[in-house]
Amino acid sequence: STLINSGDKIAAESALASFYQQWQNDAQVMEQWFAVQSGSAIFADLAHIEALTKHKDFDVLNPNKLRSVVSVFAAQNYRHFHAEDGSAYAFLADKIILLDDQNPQIASRLMTPLTRWRKYNKTRQDLMITQVQRIHGKQNLSKDVREVVEKSLPAS
């Protein structure tokens, strides 16, 4: 974790590769390997997070893997999750929409960062609300996600 957050990207990438080779067969250790990258604002921008979601050991339908990448990114990597262009909000909404049919309980828990839109400036509020509304517009939205969405939308 210290090396990943040191700013020495070359050393960090080397250490991650070495660590992966040693621990790739231990699912719980690999969840930590994903999480330490996802939570680092120095190391992991949205492009890196998207690459992690395409990694051969990542499975979007595995709740632990999902939490170690997507939830950690949204909860700990403030710099890149709250990027001014709102791309990470759209990324999170995409994952929620995808998961809603497969695992609505996890999808509803993933909503939390978007429901906190009131804590941010007007620009970010608008971007977050747009994604919440996009989720709300999904066909056959689960009861679990619908409940969270409807509680978080601003009063009309």
Side-chain angles (χ1 to χ4, degrees), residues 81-118:
F81 181 67
H82 294 290
E84 290 184 15
D85 66 358
S87 57
Y89 303 151
F91 167 82
L92 180 59
D94 290 344
K95 297 299 178 241
I96 292 165
I97 290 167
L98 173 73
L99 281 168
D100 185 53
D101 293 328
Q102 306 297 320
N103 193 332
Q105 294 81 21
I106 296 295
S108 67
R109 286 188 209 117
L110 279 178
M111 284 291 306
T112 301
L114 293 175
T115 65
R116 296 182 174 147
W117 56 266
R118 289 173 184 87

PDB file of all heavy atoms in Angstrom, residues 81-118:
ATOM      1  N   PHE A  81     -12.769   9.496  -8.398  1.00  0.00           N
ATOM      2  CA  PHE A  81     -14.201   9.217  -8.409  1.00  0.00           C
ATOM      3  C   PHE A  81     -14.987  10.509  -8.635  1.00  0.00           C
ATOM      4  O   PHE A  81     -15.991  10.515  -9.333  1.00  0.00           O
ATOM      5  CB  PHE A  81     -14.664   8.530  -7.122  1.00  0.00           C
ATOM      6  CG  PHE A  81     -16.134   8.226  -7.142  1.00  0.00           C
ATOM      7  CD1 PHE A  81     -16.648   7.278  -8.027  1.00  0.00           C
ATOM      8  CD2 PHE A  81     -17.022   8.895  -6.318  1.00  0.00           C
ATOM      9  CE1 PHE A  81     -18.009   7.014  -8.085  1.00  0.00           C
ATOM     10  CE2 PHE A  81     -18.381   8.634  -6.364  1.00  0.00           C
ATOM     11  CZ  PHE A  81     -18.875   7.691  -7.247  1.00  0.00           C
ATOM     12  N   HIS A  82     -14.519  11.593  -8.064  1.00  0.00           N
ATOM     13  CA  HIS A  82     -15.224  12.864  -8.201  1.00  0.00           C
ATOM     14  C   HIS A  82     -14.601  13.754  -9.278  1.00  0.00           C
ATOM     15  O   HIS A  82     -14.619  14.982  -9.162  1.00  0.00           O
ATOM     16  CB  HIS A  82     -15.270  13.586  -6.852  1.00  0.00           C
ATOM     17  CG  HIS A  82     -16.083  12.864  -5.837  1.00  0.00           C
ATOM     18  ND1 HIS A  82     -17.455  12.763  -5.907  1.00  0.00           N
ATOM     19  CD2 HIS A  82     -15.723  12.168  -4.729  1.00  0.00           C
ATOM     20  CE1 HIS A  82     -17.899  12.049  -4.890  1.00  0.00           C
ATOM     21  NE2 HIS A  82     -16.871  11.673  -4.167  1.00  0.00           N
ATOM     22  N   ALA A  83     -14.090  13.148 -10.326  1.00  0.00           N
ATOM     23  CA  ALA A  83     -13.529  13.897 -11.453  1.00  0.00           C
ATOM     24  C   ALA A  83     -14.583  14.855 -12.000  1.00  0.00           C
ATOM     25  O   ALA A  83     -15.784  14.545 -12.016  1.00  0.00           O
ATOM     26  CB  ALA A  83     -13.070  12.937 -12.544  1.00  0.00           C
ATOM     27  N   GLU A  84     -14.126  16.005 -12.430  1.00  0.00           N
ATOM     28  CA  GLU A  84     -15.049  17.062 -12.855  1.00  0.00           C
ATOM     29  C   GLU A  84     -15.944  16.685 -14.031  1.00  0.00           C
ATOM     30  O   GLU A  84     -17.011  17.257 -14.195  1.00  0.00           O
ATOM     31  CB  GLU A  84     -14.266  18.331 -13.189  1.00  0.00           C
ATOM     32  CG  GLU A  84     -13.688  18.993 -11.964  1.00  0.00           C
ATOM     33  CD  GLU A  84     -12.990  20.308 -12.273  1.00  0.00           C
ATOM     34  OE1 GLU A  84     -13.187  20.859 -13.372  1.00  0.00           O
ATOM     35  OE2 GLU A  84     -12.262  20.779 -11.402  1.00  0.00           O
ATOM     36  N   ASP A  85     -15.510  15.727 -14.844  1.00  0.00           N
ATOM     37  CA  ASP A  85     -16.319  15.361 -16.006  1.00  0.00           C
ATOM     38  C   ASP A  85     -17.441  14.372 -15.679  1.00  0.00           C
ATOM     39  O   ASP A  85     -18.281  14.075 -16.528  1.00  0.00           O
ATOM     40  CB  ASP A  85     -15.446  14.815 -17.137  1.00  0.00           C
ATOM     41  CG  ASP A  85     -14.768  13.495 -16.798  1.00  0.00           C
ATOM     42  OD1 ASP A  85     -14.927  12.983 -15.661  1.00  0.00           O
ATOM     43  OD2 ASP A  85     -14.063  12.968 -17.682  1.00  0.00           O
ATOM     44  N   GLY A  86     -17.460  13.852 -14.457  1.00  0.00           N
ATOM     45  CA  GLY A  86     -18.523  12.938 -14.049  1.00  0.00           C
ATOM     46  C   GLY A  86     -18.392  11.531 -14.615  1.00  0.00           C
ATOM     47  O   GLY A  86     -19.288  10.706 -14.442  1.00  0.00           O
ATOM     48  N   SER A  87     -17.277  11.227 -15.261  1.00  0.00           N
ATOM     49  CA  SER A  87     -17.109   9.918 -15.900  1.00  0.00           C
ATOM     50  C   SER A  87     -17.155   8.769 -14.899  1.00  0.00           C
ATOM     51  O   SER A  87     -17.682   7.694 -15.210  1.00  0.00           O
ATOM     52  CB  SER A  87     -15.804   9.878 -16.701  1.00  0.00           C
ATOM     53  OG  SER A  87     -14.693  10.189 -15.865  1.00  0.00           O
ATOM     54  N   ALA A  88     -16.636   8.971 -13.711  1.00  0.00           N
ATOM     55  CA  ALA A  88     -16.663   7.896 -12.717  1.00  0.00           C
ATOM     56  C   ALA A  88     -18.070   7.673 -12.187  1.00  0.00           C
ATOM     57  O   ALA A  88     -18.435   6.546 -11.828  1.00  0.00           O
ATOM     58  CB  ALA A  88     -15.693   8.193 -11.580  1.00  0.00           C
ATOM     59  N   TYR A  89     -18.876   8.718 -12.137  1.00  0.00           N
ATOM     60  CA  TYR A  89     -20.268   8.549 -11.729  1.00  0.00           C
ATOM     61  C   TYR A  89     -20.998   7.680 -12.759  1.00  0.00           C
ATOM     62  O   TYR A  89     -21.784   6.801 -12.407  1.00  0.00           O
ATOM     63  CB  TYR A  89     -20.988   9.889 -11.603  1.00  0.00           C
ATOM     64  CG  TYR A  89     -20.367  10.880 -10.651  1.00  0.00           C
ATOM     65  CD1 TYR A  89     -20.509  12.238 -10.862  1.00  0.00           C
ATOM     66  CD2 TYR A  89     -19.639  10.476  -9.533  1.00  0.00           C
ATOM     67  CE1 TYR A  89     -19.963  13.175  -9.991  1.00  0.00           C
ATOM     68  CE2 TYR A  89     -19.077  11.396  -8.660  1.00  0.00           C
ATOM     69  CZ  TYR A  89     -19.244  12.747  -8.901  1.00  0.00           C
ATOM     70  OH  TYR A  89     -18.698  13.660  -8.036  1.00  0.00           O
ATOM     71  N   ALA A  90     -20.729   7.931 -14.038  1.00  0.00           N
ATOM     72  CA  ALA A  90     -21.339   7.130 -15.104  1.00  0.00           C
ATOM     73  C   ALA A  90     -20.847   5.683 -15.034  1.00  0.00           C
ATOM     74  O   ALA A  90     -21.627   4.743 -15.226  1.00  0.00           O
ATOM     75  CB  ALA A  90     -21.028   7.744 -16.468  1.00  0.00           C
ATOM     76  N   PHE A  91     -19.557   5.516 -14.747  1.00  0.00           N
ATOM     77  CA  PHE A  91     -18.980   4.178 -14.582  1.00  0.00           C
ATOM     78  C   PHE A  91     -19.717   3.417 -13.474  1.00  0.00           C
ATOM     79  O   PHE A  91     -20.115   2.266 -13.653  1.00  0.00           O
ATOM     80  CB  PHE A  91     -17.482   4.308 -14.263  1.00  0.00           C
ATOM     81  CG  PHE A  91     -16.827   3.054 -13.766  1.00  0.00           C
ATOM     82  CD1 PHE A  91     -16.399   2.077 -14.651  1.00  0.00           C
ATOM     83  CD2 PHE A  91     -16.617   2.855 -12.407  1.00  0.00           C
ATOM     84  CE1 PHE A  91     -15.780   0.923 -14.194  1.00  0.00           C
ATOM     85  CE2 PHE A  91     -16.000   1.706 -11.938  1.00  0.00           C
ATOM     86  CZ  PHE A  91     -15.582   0.733 -12.833  1.00  0.00           C
ATOM     87  N   LEU A  92     -19.902   4.063 -12.332  1.00  0.00           N
ATOM     88  CA  LEU A  92     -20.598   3.421 -11.221  1.00  0.00           C
ATOM     89  C   LEU A  92     -22.044   3.110 -11.595  1.00  0.00           C
ATOM     90  O   LEU A  92     -22.540   2.009 -11.321  1.00  0.00           O
ATOM     91  CB  LEU A  92     -20.540   4.297  -9.969  1.00  0.00           C
ATOM     92  CG  LEU A  92     -21.228   3.720  -8.729  1.00  0.00           C
ATOM     93  CD1 LEU A  92     -20.635   2.369  -8.332  1.00  0.00           C
ATOM     94  CD2 LEU A  92     -21.133   4.717  -7.569  1.00  0.00           C
ATOM     95  N   ALA A  93     -22.721   4.043 -12.239  1.00  0.00           N
ATOM     96  CA  ALA A  93     -24.106   3.811 -12.655  1.00  0.00           C
ATOM     97  C   ALA A  93     -24.182   2.630 -13.620  1.00  0.00           C
ATOM     98  O   ALA A  93     -25.106   1.812 -13.526  1.00  0.00           O
ATOM     99  CB  ALA A  93     -24.681   5.074 -13.292  1.00  0.00           C
ATOM    100  N   ASP A  94     -23.214   2.515 -14.518  1.00  0.00           N
ATOM    101  CA  ASP A  94     -23.180   1.376 -15.446  1.00  0.00           C
ATOM    102  C   ASP A  94     -23.114   0.060 -14.685  1.00  0.00           C
ATOM    103  O   ASP A  94     -23.806  -0.909 -15.019  1.00  0.00           O
ATOM    104  CB  ASP A  94     -21.979   1.466 -16.388  1.00  0.00           C
ATOM    105  CG  ASP A  94     -22.076   2.577 -17.408  1.00  0.00           C
ATOM    106  OD1 ASP A  94     -23.181   3.114 -17.629  1.00  0.00           O
ATOM    107  OD2 ASP A  94     -21.018   2.928 -17.988  1.00  0.00           O
ATOM    108  N   LYS A  95     -22.277   0.012 -13.666  1.00  0.00           N
ATOM    109  CA  LYS A  95     -22.127  -1.219 -12.877  1.00  0.00           C
ATOM    110  C   LYS A  95     -23.412  -1.519 -12.102  1.00  0.00           C
ATOM    111  O   LYS A  95     -23.827  -2.672 -11.999  1.00  0.00           O
ATOM    112  CB  LYS A  95     -20.946  -1.114 -11.908  1.00  0.00           C
ATOM    113  CG  LYS A  95     -19.605  -0.963 -12.579  1.00  0.00           C
ATOM    114  CD  LYS A  95     -19.275  -2.146 -13.457  1.00  0.00           C
ATOM    115  CE  LYS A  95     -17.965  -1.969 -14.172  1.00  0.00           C
ATOM    116  NZ  LYS A  95     -18.081  -1.976 -15.619  1.00  0.00           N
ATOM    117  N   ILE A  96     -24.047  -0.503 -11.576  1.00  0.00           N
ATOM    118  CA  ILE A  96     -25.302  -0.693 -10.836  1.00  0.00           C
ATOM    119  C   ILE A  96     -26.377  -1.236 -11.772  1.00  0.00           C
ATOM    120  O   ILE A  96     -27.084  -2.196 -11.431  1.00  0.00           O
ATOM    121  CB  ILE A  96     -25.743   0.628 -10.171  1.00  0.00           C
ATOM    122  CG1 ILE A  96     -24.752   1.002  -9.059  1.00  0.00           C
ATOM    123  CG2 ILE A  96     -27.172   0.521  -9.640  1.00  0.00           C
ATOM    124  CD1 ILE A  96     -24.872   2.432  -8.569  1.00  0.00           C
ATOM    125  N   ILE A  97     -26.486  -0.646 -12.941  1.00  0.00           N
ATOM    126  CA  ILE A  97     -27.481  -1.096 -13.922  1.00  0.00           C
ATOM    127  C   ILE A  97     -27.206  -2.541 -14.330  1.00  0.00           C
ATOM    128  O   ILE A  97     -28.124  -3.363 -14.403  1.00  0.00           O
ATOM    129  CB  ILE A  97     -27.504  -0.141 -15.134  1.00  0.00           C
ATOM    130  CG1 ILE A  97     -28.110   1.203 -14.711  1.00  0.00           C
ATOM    131  CG2 ILE A  97     -28.257  -0.755 -16.312  1.00  0.00           C
ATOM    132  CD1 ILE A  97     -27.913   2.335 -15.709  1.00  0.00           C
ATOM    133  N   LEU A  98     -25.953  -2.869 -14.565  1.00  0.00           N
ATOM    134  CA  LEU A  98     -25.575  -4.231 -14.936  1.00  0.00           C
ATOM    135  C   LEU A  98     -25.919  -5.229 -13.828  1.00  0.00           C
ATOM    136  O   LEU A  98     -26.480  -6.297 -14.079  1.00  0.00           O
ATOM    137  CB  LEU A  98     -24.072  -4.289 -15.240  1.00  0.00           C
ATOM    138  CG  LEU A  98     -23.480  -5.664 -15.488  1.00  0.00           C
ATOM    139  CD1 LEU A  98     -23.908  -6.182 -16.852  1.00  0.00           C
ATOM    140  CD2 LEU A  98     -21.968  -5.609 -15.395  1.00  0.00           C
ATOM    141  N   LEU A  99     -25.610  -4.867 -12.609  1.00  0.00           N
ATOM    142  CA  LEU A  99     -25.809  -5.775 -11.475  1.00  0.00           C
ATOM    143  C   LEU A  99     -27.257  -5.881 -11.020  1.00  0.00           C
ATOM    144  O   LEU A  99     -27.612  -6.852 -10.352  1.00  0.00           O
ATOM    145  CB  LEU A  99     -24.973  -5.304 -10.286  1.00  0.00           C
ATOM    146  CG  LEU A  99     -23.513  -5.658 -10.369  1.00  0.00           C
ATOM    147  CD1 LEU A  99     -22.740  -4.912  -9.306  1.00  0.00           C
ATOM    148  CD2 LEU A  99     -23.327  -7.144 -10.215  1.00  0.00           C
ATOM    149  N   ASP A 100     -28.049  -4.890 -11.329  1.00  0.00           N
ATOM    150  CA  ASP A 100     -29.421  -4.865 -10.831  1.00  0.00           C
ATOM    151  C   ASP A 100     -30.182  -6.149 -11.148  1.00  0.00           C
ATOM    152  O   ASP A 100     -30.918  -6.653 -10.302  1.00  0.00           O
ATOM    153  CB  ASP A 100     -30.165  -3.650 -11.374  1.00  0.00           C
ATOM    154  CG  ASP A 100     -31.555  -3.527 -10.788  1.00  0.00           C
ATOM    155  OD1 ASP A 100     -31.673  -3.547  -9.547  1.00  0.00           O
ATOM    156  OD2 ASP A 100     -32.515  -3.439 -11.569  1.00  0.00           O
ATOM    157  N   ASP A 101     -29.982  -6.703 -12.320  1.00  0.00           N
ATOM    158  CA  ASP A 101     -30.687  -7.930 -12.691  1.00  0.00           C
ATOM    159  C   ASP A 101     -30.089  -9.171 -12.034  1.00  0.00           C
ATOM    160  O   ASP A 101     -30.794 -10.138 -11.782  1.00  0.00           O
ATOM    161  CB  ASP A 101     -30.662  -8.122 -14.214  1.00  0.00           C
ATOM    162  CG  ASP A 101     -31.465  -7.058 -14.940  1.00  0.00           C
ATOM    163  OD1 ASP A 101     -32.471  -6.579 -14.378  1.00  0.00           O
ATOM    164  OD2 ASP A 101     -31.080  -6.701 -16.070  1.00  0.00           O
ATOM    165  N   GLN A 102     -28.786  -9.130 -11.763  1.00  0.00           N
ATOM    166  CA  GLN A 102     -28.083 -10.300 -11.231  1.00  0.00           C
ATOM    167  C   GLN A 102     -28.063 -10.353  -9.706  1.00  0.00           C
ATOM    168  O   GLN A 102     -28.204 -11.414  -9.117  1.00  0.00           O
ATOM    169  CB  GLN A 102     -26.631 -10.310 -11.736  1.00  0.00           C
ATOM    170  CG  GLN A 102     -26.486 -10.227 -13.236  1.00  0.00           C
ATOM    171  CD  GLN A 102     -27.093 -11.425 -13.932  1.00  0.00           C
ATOM    172  OE1 GLN A 102     -26.961 -12.542 -13.463  1.00  0.00           O
ATOM    173  NE2 GLN A 102     -27.771 -11.187 -15.038  1.00  0.00           N
ATOM    174  N   ASN A 103     -27.824  -9.197  -9.094  1.00  0.00           N
ATOM    175  CA  ASN A 103     -27.679  -9.147  -7.645  1.00  0.00           C
ATOM    176  C   ASN A 103     -28.162  -7.775  -7.150  1.00  0.00           C
ATOM    177  O   ASN A 103     -27.363  -6.881  -6.888  1.00  0.00           O
ATOM    178  CB  ASN A 103     -26.219  -9.392  -7.243  1.00  0.00           C
ATOM    179  CG  ASN A 103     -26.068  -9.651  -5.764  1.00  0.00           C
ATOM    180  OD1 ASN A 103     -26.854  -9.178  -4.949  1.00  0.00           O
ATOM    181  ND2 ASN A 103     -25.022 -10.394  -5.408  1.00  0.00           N
ATOM    182  N   PRO A 104     -29.472  -7.605  -7.032  1.00  0.00           N
ATOM    183  CA  PRO A 104     -30.019  -6.297  -6.669  1.00  0.00           C
ATOM    184  C   PRO A 104     -29.581  -5.791  -5.292  1.00  0.00           C
ATOM    185  O   PRO A 104     -29.503  -4.588  -5.078  1.00  0.00           O
ATOM    186  CB  PRO A 104     -31.530  -6.485  -6.736  1.00  0.00           C
ATOM    187  CG  PRO A 104     -31.780  -7.933  -6.860  1.00  0.00           C
ATOM    188  CD  PRO A 104     -30.513  -8.590  -7.312  1.00  0.00           C
ATOM    189  N   GLN A 105     -29.279  -6.692  -4.370  1.00  0.00           N
ATOM    190  CA  GLN A 105     -28.830  -6.251  -3.044  1.00  0.00           C
ATOM    191  C   GLN A 105     -27.474  -5.552  -3.146  1.00  0.00           C
ATOM    192  O   GLN A 105     -27.274  -4.486  -2.550  1.00  0.00           O
ATOM    193  CB  GLN A 105     -28.740  -7.434  -2.062  1.00  0.00           C
ATOM    194  CG  GLN A 105     -30.071  -8.070  -1.729  1.00  0.00           C
ATOM    195  CD  GLN A 105     -30.535  -9.050  -2.812  1.00  0.00           C
ATOM    196  OE1 GLN A 105     -29.755  -9.555  -3.611  1.00  0.00           O
ATOM    197  NE2 GLN A 105     -31.831  -9.306  -2.839  1.00  0.00           N
ATOM    198  N   ILE A 106     -26.550  -6.140  -3.890  1.00  0.00           N
ATOM    199  CA  ILE A 106     -25.235  -5.519  -4.079  1.00  0.00           C
ATOM    200  C   ILE A 106     -25.394  -4.231  -4.888  1.00  0.00           C
ATOM    201  O   ILE A 106     -24.779  -3.209  -4.576  1.00  0.00           O
ATOM    202  CB  ILE A 106     -24.252  -6.481  -4.773  1.00  0.00           C
ATOM    203  CG1 ILE A 106     -23.970  -7.698  -3.889  1.00  0.00           C
ATOM    204  CG2 ILE A 106     -22.956  -5.771  -5.142  1.00  0.00           C
ATOM    205  CD1 ILE A 106     -23.252  -7.408  -2.596  1.00  0.00           C
ATOM    206  N   ALA A 107     -26.224  -4.265  -5.909  1.00  0.00           N
ATOM    207  CA  ALA A 107     -26.449  -3.068  -6.727  1.00  0.00           C
ATOM    208  C   ALA A 107     -26.971  -1.921  -5.865  1.00  0.00           C
ATOM    209  O   ALA A 107     -26.532  -0.775  -6.003  1.00  0.00           O
ATOM    210  CB  ALA A 107     -27.422  -3.378  -7.860  1.00  0.00           C
ATOM    211  N   SER A 108     -27.891  -2.226  -4.960  1.00  0.00           N
ATOM    212  CA  SER A 108     -28.443  -1.166  -4.111  1.00  0.00           C
ATOM    213  C   SER A 108     -27.382  -0.611  -3.156  1.00  0.00           C
ATOM    214  O   SER A 108     -27.364   0.582  -2.871  1.00  0.00           O
ATOM    215  CB  SER A 108     -29.670  -1.655  -3.342  1.00  0.00           C
ATOM    216  OG  SER A 108     -29.335  -2.627  -2.389  1.00  0.00           O
ATOM    217  N   ARG A 109     -26.486  -1.471  -2.682  1.00  0.00           N
ATOM    218  CA  ARG A 109     -25.403  -0.990  -1.807  1.00  0.00           C
ATOM    219  C   ARG A 109     -24.412  -0.122  -2.574  1.00  0.00           C
ATOM    220  O   ARG A 109     -23.839   0.804  -2.009  1.00  0.00           O
ATOM    221  CB  ARG A 109     -24.684  -2.163  -1.150  1.00  0.00           C
ATOM    222  CG  ARG A 109     -25.502  -2.782  -0.051  1.00  0.00           C
ATOM    223  CD  ARG A 109     -24.706  -3.827   0.726  1.00  0.00           C
ATOM    224  NE  ARG A 109     -25.634  -4.801   1.239  1.00  0.00           N
ATOM    225  CZ  ARG A 109     -25.654  -6.087   0.904  1.00  0.00           C
ATOM    226  NH1 ARG A 109     -24.758  -6.577   0.083  1.00  0.00           N
ATOM    227  NH2 ARG A 109     -26.545  -6.894   1.419  1.00  0.00           N
ATOM    228  N   LEU A 110     -24.213  -0.439  -3.841  1.00  0.00           N
ATOM    229  CA  LEU A 110     -23.310   0.370  -4.668  1.00  0.00           C
ATOM    230  C   LEU A 110     -23.849   1.779  -4.894  1.00  0.00           C
ATOM    231  O   LEU A 110     -23.105   2.674  -5.277  1.00  0.00           O
ATOM    232  CB  LEU A 110     -23.077  -0.292  -6.025  1.00  0.00           C
ATOM    233  CG  LEU A 110     -22.064  -1.406  -6.096  1.00  0.00           C
ATOM    234  CD1 LEU A 110     -22.015  -1.981  -7.515  1.00  0.00           C
ATOM    235  CD2 LEU A 110     -20.687  -0.941  -5.672  1.00  0.00           C
ATOM    236  N   MET A 111     -25.137   1.974  -4.673  1.00  0.00           N
ATOM    237  CA  MET A 111     -25.763   3.286  -4.871  1.00  0.00           C
ATOM    238  C   MET A 111     -25.254   4.339  -3.885  1.00  0.00           C
ATOM    239  O   MET A 111     -25.317   5.533  -4.166  1.00  0.00           O
ATOM    240  CB  MET A 111     -27.288   3.175  -4.702  1.00  0.00           C
ATOM    241  CG  MET A 111     -28.037   2.567  -5.845  1.00  0.00           C
ATOM    242  SD  MET A 111     -28.049   3.599  -7.319  1.00  0.00           S
ATOM    243  CE  MET A 111     -28.679   5.146  -6.699  1.00  0.00           C
ATOM    244  N   THR A 112     -24.766   3.919  -2.739  1.00  0.00           N
ATOM    245  CA  THR A 112     -24.437   4.846  -1.652  1.00  0.00           C
ATOM    246  C   THR A 112     -23.641   6.070  -2.079  1.00  0.00           C
ATOM    247  O   THR A 112     -24.035   7.193  -1.747  1.00  0.00           O
ATOM    248  CB  THR A 112     -23.730   4.093  -0.499  1.00  0.00           C
ATOM    249  OG1 THR A 112     -24.615   3.070  -0.032  1.00  0.00           O
ATOM    250  CG2 THR A 112     -23.392   5.026   0.638  1.00  0.00           C
ATOM    251  N   PRO A 113     -22.541   5.943  -2.801  1.00  0.00           N
ATOM    252  CA  PRO A 113     -21.792   7.162  -3.152  1.00  0.00           C
ATOM    253  C   PRO A 113     -22.615   8.169  -3.966  1.00  0.00           C
ATOM    254  O   PRO A 113     -22.464   9.379  -3.790  1.00  0.00           O
ATOM    255  CB  PRO A 113     -20.614   6.642  -3.976  1.00  0.00           C
ATOM    256  CG  PRO A 113     -20.455   5.230  -3.555  1.00  0.00           C
ATOM    257  CD  PRO A 113     -21.843   4.736  -3.243  1.00  0.00           C
ATOM    258  N   LEU A 114     -23.497   7.671  -4.823  1.00  0.00           N
ATOM    259  CA  LEU A 114     -24.321   8.583  -5.625  1.00  0.00           C
ATOM    260  C   LEU A 114     -25.443   9.217  -4.816  1.00  0.00           C
ATOM    261  O   LEU A 114     -25.950  10.280  -5.186  1.00  0.00           O
ATOM    262  CB  LEU A 114     -24.898   7.843  -6.840  1.00  0.00           C
ATOM    263  CG  LEU A 114     -23.878   7.389  -7.882  1.00  0.00           C
ATOM    264  CD1 LEU A 114     -24.561   6.552  -8.964  1.00  0.00           C
ATOM    265  CD2 LEU A 114     -23.131   8.564  -8.481  1.00  0.00           C
ATOM    266  N   THR A 115     -25.826   8.598  -3.726  1.00  0.00           N
ATOM    267  CA  THR A 115     -26.902   9.162  -2.901  1.00  0.00           C
ATOM    268  C   THR A 115     -26.410  10.299  -2.018  1.00  0.00           C
ATOM    269  O   THR A 115     -27.206  11.002  -1.409  1.00  0.00           O
ATOM    270  CB  THR A 115     -27.545   8.092  -1.999  1.00  0.00           C
ATOM    271  OG1 THR A 115     -26.591   7.629  -1.044  1.00  0.00           O
ATOM    272  CG2 THR A 115     -28.094   6.931  -2.803  1.00  0.00           C
ATOM    273  N   ARG A 116     -25.117  10.489  -1.968  1.00  0.00           N
ATOM    274  CA  ARG A 116     -24.531  11.551  -1.125  1.00  0.00           C
ATOM    275  C   ARG A 116     -24.272  12.829  -1.914  1.00  0.00           C
ATOM    276  O   ARG A 116     -23.432  13.647  -1.543  1.00  0.00           O
ATOM    277  CB  ARG A 116     -23.243  11.030  -0.489  1.00  0.00           C
ATOM    278  CG  ARG A 116     -23.526   9.881   0.451  1.00  0.00           C
ATOM    279  CD  ARG A 116     -22.285   9.390   1.128  1.00  0.00           C
ATOM    280  NE  ARG A 116     -22.658   8.377   2.119  1.00  0.00           N
ATOM    281  CZ  ARG A 116     -21.925   7.346   2.439  1.00  0.00           C
ATOM    282  NH1 ARG A 116     -20.746   7.177   1.865  1.00  0.00           N
ATOM    283  NH2 ARG A 116     -22.336   6.483   3.331  1.00  0.00           N
ATOM    284  N   TRP A 117     -25.011  13.025  -2.972  1.00  0.00           N
ATOM    285  CA  TRP A 117     -24.796  14.157  -3.866  1.00  0.00           C
ATOM    286  C   TRP A 117     -24.929  15.503  -3.153  1.00  0.00           C
ATOM    287  O   TRP A 117     -24.299  16.484  -3.549  1.00  0.00           O
ATOM    288  CB  TRP A 117     -25.751  14.075  -5.066  1.00  0.00           C
ATOM    289  CG  TRP A 117     -27.201  13.983  -4.733  1.00  0.00           C
ATOM    290  CD1 TRP A 117     -27.945  12.856  -4.604  1.00  0.00           C
ATOM    291  CD2 TRP A 117     -28.095  15.070  -4.476  1.00  0.00           C
ATOM    292  NE1 TRP A 117     -29.242  13.160  -4.283  1.00  0.00           N
ATOM    293  CE2 TRP A 117     -29.367  14.511  -4.199  1.00  0.00           C
ATOM    294  CE3 TRP A 117     -27.959  16.457  -4.460  1.00  0.00           C
ATOM    295  CZ2 TRP A 117     -30.473  15.312  -3.913  1.00  0.00           C
ATOM    296  CZ3 TRP A 117     -29.060  17.235  -4.174  1.00  0.00           C
ATOM    297  CH2 TRP A 117     -30.296  16.658  -3.910  1.00  0.00           C
ATOM    298  N   ARG A 118     -25.707  15.580  -2.102  1.00  0.00           N
ATOM    299  CA  ARG A 118     -25.927  16.858  -1.398  1.00  0.00           C
ATOM    300  C   ARG A 118     -24.643  17.420  -0.775  1.00  0.00           C
ATOM    301  O   ARG A 118     -24.570  18.596  -0.482  1.00  0.00           O
ATOM    302  CB  ARG A 118     -26.989  16.679  -0.311  1.00  0.00           C
ATOM    303  CG  ARG A 118     -28.378  16.483  -0.848  1.00  0.00           C
ATOM    304  CD  ARG A 118     -29.381  16.126   0.257  1.00  0.00           C
ATOM    305  NE  ARG A 118     -30.690  15.848  -0.270  1.00  0.00           N
ATOM    306  CZ  ARG A 118     -31.097  14.666  -0.704  1.00  0.00           C
ATOM    307  NH1 ARG A 118     -30.289  13.623  -0.657  1.00  0.00           N
ATOM    308  NH2 ARG A 118     -32.319  14.506  -1.173  1.00  0.00           N
TER     309      ARG A 118
END
